[in-house]
Amino acid sequence: MKEYDISGAEAVTLALIAEGVDIVFGYPGGSNLPIYDSFFKHKEQINHVLVRHEQGAIHAAEGYAEVSGKVGVCMVTSGPGATNLITGIADAQLDSVPIVCITGQVGISNLGYDAFQETDVVGISMPVTKWNYQITKAEEISETLSKAFYIARSGRPGPVLIDITKNAQTEKLTQFEYEKCRKINSYHPKFRPIDEAVEEAAMLLNNATKPFMVVGHGVLLSGCKDEVATLSKTLDMPVASTLLGLSAIPCDNPLYAGMVGLHGNYAANKMTNECDVLLAVGMRFDDRVTSNVQKYARQAKIIHIEIDPSEINKLVSVSVPIVSDAKSALNKLIPLLQTSSHGQWLDIMRNYRKEEEEKVFARDLDSNTQVLRMGRVVKAISQKMPNGTITVTDVGQNQMAAARYFDYQSDDCLVTSGGLGTMGFALPAAIGAWYANKMLNQPIVCIMGDGGFQMTIEELGVIMQYKIPLKMILLNNNYLGMIRQLQDMYYDSRYYFGELQNPKFTKIVEAYDIPAKKISKQEELLPAIQEMLTTAGPYFLEVKVEKEDNIFPVVPSGAGVDEMILRKEDE
Amino acid sequence: MKHKFTLLIYTENHIGLLNRISIIFTRHKINIESLNTSPAMEKNLHSFVITIFATWQQAEHLRKLIEKQVEVFKAFLYEEKDVIAMEVALFKISLKGIGPHNVLEQLIRQSSARIITVEPEFLVVEKTGTQNDIHEFLEKLSMFDIREFIQSGRVVVTRPMGKLTEYLANLERQEEQ
């Protein structure tokens, strides 16, 4: 046993280093200053990015985690610092993002007595964390942090919050040992796929005439893109993706049917309700995927590969549940599959795709209109980006345009807020994504709307200070576009409190020493994209897009996924 | 159709776990009818016995969410027919103006209750039984001046013969190494 004379704060830093953490997104305050002071001592080993608001810290940690596959870490002070994390924690919980949040807390003698900047953050964060714990003694730091990292990344990943009282940070330890946690008695995060279930799934798939696969975030988390490609090729089976599963299969794969869901692709949604066997991998039948769940894939036998047992039969009753991570299950399933051919079924897919191309793509991607439309802008950017591009989106119409019209390739990555739909996510998440990607130096495109951009606009300061070369695209329609669309469709076009009087965004951005340009015409688009991509460092491109435009196709409220409408006149 | 279900939950004994479990019910707007926590027979394990009214689907969903908590070893869901349940109630009855004690004593004997203590001003009666037994006894005592009444959460043993240690060993086997 080694002898030390270190503070609890330094123990926190050493624990982070032992976990391989090289960057922390944070904001200092009175209750975490001892940890910041120990960071100073170890600044060669651990980097810190000073965000402008604590929400920015956790979204940056999410972006970092999504791109790196490692646990993202953010650190804030007690009270408002801690409560400002809550939206991001809920976001990470719903989208299964591994995060460790370290919050400072007032000293143990002040706990519960309404001390300055004291909040019960353990209580507040309990419903939105995978696990949380309050450390009140320095000797708890080592074991607790190793548990925190293990829990955050194992099984279905998620956010963990560790609250550390100030006295625990300043207390001295005479010994410090750090051992990575590998097991917790009460926690069983990972199960082997059961042989009988896999065999039954193989039997259903081998006998299917219209097999269909939907892949979700779990495929990316377990790293089984190759297995998805092999399986779909063997069975000649079309594959669709959820929003968070985009890039699990390249868009140009002939078996790719598109994105499922509310604003998904026509083929993907129609085929969901026509297939005879539905293989769902690493997805959770979110209501944005199923729409009216009573009408979802009722005709199909459903095989559900899912790591979280509580997701099995939660919303959709399945024929064959396989509790496992996606990679293990697919690796066990593939050897049992027979090479098949489903030409007629694929013809159906191609026909649906053609119909969507004619009725939706032709309009959205039209390069001859005066006014620019979101789809056209996203497609033009996509065509200029290399394989390996990281796309970060905000929430709303900009997100759906980016999901539908960016051609995701095998090495691409999409970072977006799926489950919680957190406006303001994109800018800080893109910052985190850049730190994860620093060594690879792949381009990062951050697509936002004018509503969401203004929710975390302060993070431009981080981009300026650390010279982060983000390519920011603002699709500005001077509206909360998705809200306007909902008011158009379901509230007789009573547009109430959705229109925004916006500032001159380029001037704001330029005040941060970031080059900025605003365009509004077709002929300006391609040169502007070229300028954005050839400009070293960060760049901000504001595109004035059609003011009152709806995202189509859409599944109307209460309808089944096969009842989606392709254009406004079909409503 | 809602029925009475009992959740038997085995956990670590950690601060905050009760909150972590109870907010699962809050989020689903399901009232906890009865709750009892105590050390379990197995070393270092704690048990929660929670009674709710819910549909089977709701109850099973809640069971899974509870079992998902890091510090929960295992959560079991039982219908009424699968548990043998008891509760304990204490009654503090004023002796002032009570008259001859034999009526009360007879009632206590007939109801398989017992007197715990007799003080100059009151006596305390304990009744163990099902919730119905206790409520019936309370009705019978209504002719007396009951100053306090307190009832415990239910404790249960289950009819299936599986042992917790066997379930846990099975979990270990299923878990990927």
Side-chain angles (χ1 to χ4, degrees):
Chain A
M1 203 159 284
K2 294 173 186 170
E3 290 296 318
Y4 287 92
D5 183 18
I6 62 168
S7 67
E10 193 167 2
V12 172
T13 309
L14 292 173
L16 294 178
I17 293 167
E19 284 291 342
V21 175
D22 53 11
I23 190 151
V24 173
F25 303 93
Y27 209 100
S31 294
N32 66 3
L33 274 182
I35 303 176
Y36 271 86
D37 198 42
S38 75
F39 273 15
F40 178 74
K41 192 174 164 187
H42 295 274
K43 61 187 171 196
E44 300 303 322
Q45 293 152 287
I46 202 156
N47 192 5
H48 176 270
V49 174
L50 177 65
V51 294
R52 298 301 189 264
H53 185 283
E54 289 86 354
Q55 187 184 353
I58 184 150
H59 290 328
E62 286 183 273
Y64 176 87
E66 288 275 44
V67 173
S68 69
K70 292 163 67 177
V71 177
V73 180
C74 61
M75 188 170 73
V76 300
T77 191
S78 60
T83 56
N84 279 343
L85 290 182
I86 297 299
T87 301
I89 297 175
D91 192 276
Q93 172 89 330
L94 276 169
D95 284 352
S96 311
V97 186
I99 300 288
V100 169
C101 308
I102 297 172
T103 54
Q105 182 57 280
V106 301
I108 189 167
S109 57
N110 287 323
L111 277 179
Y113 289 93
D114 300 329
F116 178 66
Q117 292 193 330
E118 186 211 354
T119 54
D120 173 17
V121 72
V122 170
I124 292 169
S125 65
M126 208 169 263
V128 289
T129 47
K130 189 172 172 185
W131 187 64
N132 62 9
Y133 188 82
Q134 185 175 64
I135 294 175
T136 53
K137 289 181 257 177
E139 66 206 46
E140 294 178 285
I141 287 168
S142 178
E143 190 186 341
T144 305
L145 282 176
S146 72
K147 262 179 89 171
F149 278 87
Y150 174 65
I151 291 167
R153 70 172 164 254
S154 58
R156 181 178 179 176
V160 170
L161 183 139
I162 303 298
D163 195 35
I164 310 179
T165 58
K166 194 152 180 193
N167 62 289
Q169 298 172 40
T170 52
E171 279 167 15
K172 293 288 182 190
L173 286 164
T174 51
Q175 55 196 39
F176 176 78
E177 280 191 340
Y178 194 84
E179 195 177 331
K180 277 196 177 185
C181 178
R182 303 200 188 281
K183 191 172 166 54
I184 296 169
N185 281 340
S186 56
Y187 174 60
H188 302 275
K190 212 171 174 191
F191 292 93
R192 282 200 210 98
I194 294 170
D195 291 346
E196 292 77 11
V198 177
E199 284 158 15
E200 201 182 338
M203 191 268 291
L204 283 176
L205 288 164
N206 286 331
N207 291 311
T209 55
K210 292 192 277 185
F212 190 56
M213 184 174 183
V214 180
V215 294
H217 196 198
V219 166
L220 302 176
L221 288 169
S222 73
C224 62
K225 287 183 183 182
D226 290 346
E227 287 81 354
V228 167
T230 305
L231 190 144
S232 58
K233 196 175 171 195
T234 306
L235 286 172
D236 201 26
M237 173 168 64
V239 185
S241 168
T242 66
L243 174 65
L244 291 186
L246 287 174
S247 85
I249 180 160
C251 288
D252 56 2
N253 185 317
L255 292 170
Y256 183 57
M259 182 177 77
V260 291
L262 190 70
H263 292 291
N265 291 107
Y266 194 51
N269 279 332
K270 292 291 272 190
M271 292 167 85
T272 298
N273 277 12
E274 290 177 21
C275 64
D276 57 355
V277 176
L278 176 65
L279 172 62
V281 186
M283 54 86 79
R284 61 181 175 91
F285 299 108
D286 171 66
D287 59 87
R288 286 296 187 271
V289 164
T290 64
S291 287
N292 185 339
V293 75
Q294 303 300 330
K295 297 179 179 178
Y296 184 81
R298 306 293 280 188
Q299 80 296 339
K301 297 262 189 210
I302 300 176
I303 302 158
H304 191 191
I305 297 173
E306 168 59 45
I307 197 165
D308 178 354
S310 74
E311 292 294 348
I312 302 284
N313 290 324
K314 184 178 86 172
L315 295 163
V316 172
S317 295
V318 301
S319 305
V320 184
I322 300 175
V323 181
S324 163
D325 71 287
K327 194 179 180 87
S328 306
L330 293 189
N331 275 327
K332 212 162 183 180
L333 184 58
I334 287 168
L336 306 180
L337 298 175
Q338 296 157 5
T339 305
S340 309
S341 177
H342 296 290
Q344 281 185 328
W345 178 225
L346 292 174
D347 282 344
I348 291 172
M349 175 180 81
R350 285 187 277 269
N351 287 339
Y352 283 137
R353 282 220 308 236
K354 195 161 170 247
E355 196 176 345
E356 187 177 357
E357 279 167 18
E358 288 167 0
K359 292 182 177 171
V360 186
F361 291 9
R363 180 174 176 272
D364 282 357
L365 304 179
D366 191 351
S367 57
N368 296 313
T369 55
Q370 260 300 306
V371 185
L372 285 158
R373 309 187 74 223
M374 289 188 189
R376 162 75 183 136
V377 178
V378 169
K379 182 64 83 180
I381 294 165
S382 173
Q383 285 168 347
K384 293 281 180 190
M385 302 310 292
N387 189 8
T389 297
I390 294 161
T391 306
V392 186
T393 83
D394 215 81
V395 167
Q397 287 189 324
N398 67 87
Q399 181 185 34
M400 290 300 106
R404 289 177 51 77
Y405 293 116
F406 202 97
D407 296 317
Y408 295 95
Q409 300 305 307
S410 55
D411 295 332
D412 285 351
C413 175
L414 170 68
V415 180
T416 194
S417 167
L420 197 67
T422 308
M423 285 175 69
F425 172 84
L427 198 61
I431 291 168
W434 182 76
Y435 279 97
N437 177 51
K438 228 168 143 182
M439 302 303 284
L440 298 172
N441 207 22
Q442 289 163 330
I444 299 182
V445 175
C446 176
I447 298 173
M448 302 168 283
D450 45 313
F453 179 48
Q454 292 181 82
M455 285 197 176
T456 50
I457 195 168
E458 75 286 343
E459 302 306 330
L460 285 169
V462 178
I463 295 167
M464 173 178 68
Q465 184 169 351
Y466 300 98
K467 299 178 178 51
I468 298 172
L470 297 184
K471 306 303 178 191
M472 294 166 271
I473 294 107
L474 179 71
L475 301 173
N476 183 3
N477 55 10
N478 282 97
Y479 255 119
L480 303 176
M482 196 58 94
I483 297 302
R484 193 205 51 71
Q485 176 166 350
L486 291 170
Q487 289 173 334
D488 181 25
M489 292 178 67
Y490 304 119
Y491 299 91
D492 293 331
S493 302
R494 287 186 297 278
Y495 302 153
Y496 202 51
F497 289 107
E499 190 168 12
L500 298 167
Q501 185 180 347
N502 282 325
K504 291 184 174 63
F505 288 118
T506 52
K507 287 203 181 301
I508 291 177
V509 176
E510 280 166 353
Y512 284 92
D513 277 340
I514 297 168
K517 189 184 191 91
K518 181 179 179 179
I519 62 166
S520 58
K521 297 191 187 90
Q522 282 283 357
E523 60 268 26
E524 297 172 306
L525 179 62
L526 296 180
I529 292 172
Q530 191 62 25
E531 185 180 319
M532 174 177 80
L533 297 178
T534 52
T535 303
Y539 190 93
F540 180 87
L541 176 61
E542 177 184 351
V543 185
K544 192 180 168 201
V545 291
E546 189 167 316
K547 193 167 167 127
E548 295 186 16
D549 197 9
N550 288 352
I551 299 282
F552 281 101
V554 60
V555 181
S557 178
V561 288
D562 57 333
E563 298 172 278
M564 82 180 316
I565 51 176
L566 290 168
R567 51 192 174 187
K568 197 173 171 69
E569 48 269 41
D570 297 338
E571 277 179 43
Chain B
M1 182 73 179
K2 290 190 173 182
H3 297 283
K4 194 175 201 175
F5 287 99
T6 299
L7 285 147
L8 182 53
I9 306 159
Y10 292 97
T11 72
E12 304 263 14
N13 185 14
H14 280 184
I15 290 173
L17 188 54
L18 174 60
N19 192 14
R20 205 165 251 288
I21 289 172
S22 70
I23 56 178
I24 293 171
F25 295 92
T26 312
R27 188 177 169 201
H28 291 81
K29 209 168 169 61
I30 287 179
N31 191 39
I32 293 175
E33 302 293 325
S34 151
L35 182 149
N36 184 76
T37 79
S38 61
M41 182 174 77
E42 292 76 10
K43 203 181 164 195
N44 298 329
L45 255 60
H46 214 71
S47 67
F48 286 65
V49 181
I50 298 177
T51 315
I52 55 167
F53 280 101
T55 64
W56 186 86
Q57 281 86 351
Q58 282 174 327
E60 173 61 7
H61 178 54
L62 293 169
R63 184 197 70 75
K64 286 179 176 174
L65 290 179
I66 291 166
E67 198 167 273
K68 186 172 159 175
Q69 303 308 311
V70 168
E71 284 140 342
V72 171
F73 283 90
K74 187 80 191 151
F76 298 97
L77 178 67
Y78 296 105
E79 295 178 55
E80 279 297 270
K81 65 180 173 56
D82 290 329
V83 292
I84 296 150
M86 284 287 156
E87 291 165 28
V88 177
L90 299 179
F91 305 78
K92 184 170 112 181
I93 301 166
S94 169
L95 293 174
K96 194 175 173 188
I98 195 169
H101 288 187
N102 56 351
V103 178
L104 179 59
E105 282 167 8
Q106 196 180 359
L107 194 56
I108 289 168
R109 263 200 311 279
Q110 282 171 352
S111 303
S112 303
R114 68 189 180 108
I115 295 170
I116 304 276
T117 184
V118 181
E119 304 278 328
E121 287 184 289
F122 64 87
L123 58 80
V124 176
V125 178
E126 177 221 297
K127 166 73 187 157
T128 300
T130 65
Q131 198 172 38
N132 275 350
D133 294 340
I134 288 167
H135 282 190
E136 275 173 22
F137 186 55
L138 179 63
E139 284 285 308
K140 287 177 187 167
L141 288 180
S142 60
M143 67 180 81
F144 300 100
D145 182 9
I146 303 171
R147 289 305 179 98
E148 284 179 43
F149 164 68
I150 190 90
Q151 188 179 344
S152 73
R154 61 164 37 184
V155 291
V156 298
V157 290
T158 62
R159 294 190 193 277
M161 288 300 286
K163 274 186 81 176
L164 176 67
T165 43
E166 290 164 7
Y167 286 110
L168 295 181
N170 194 30
L171 265 181
E172 295 278 332
R173 275 195 297 277
Q174 280 180 44
E175 195 180 12
E176 201 165 77
Q177 298 303 308

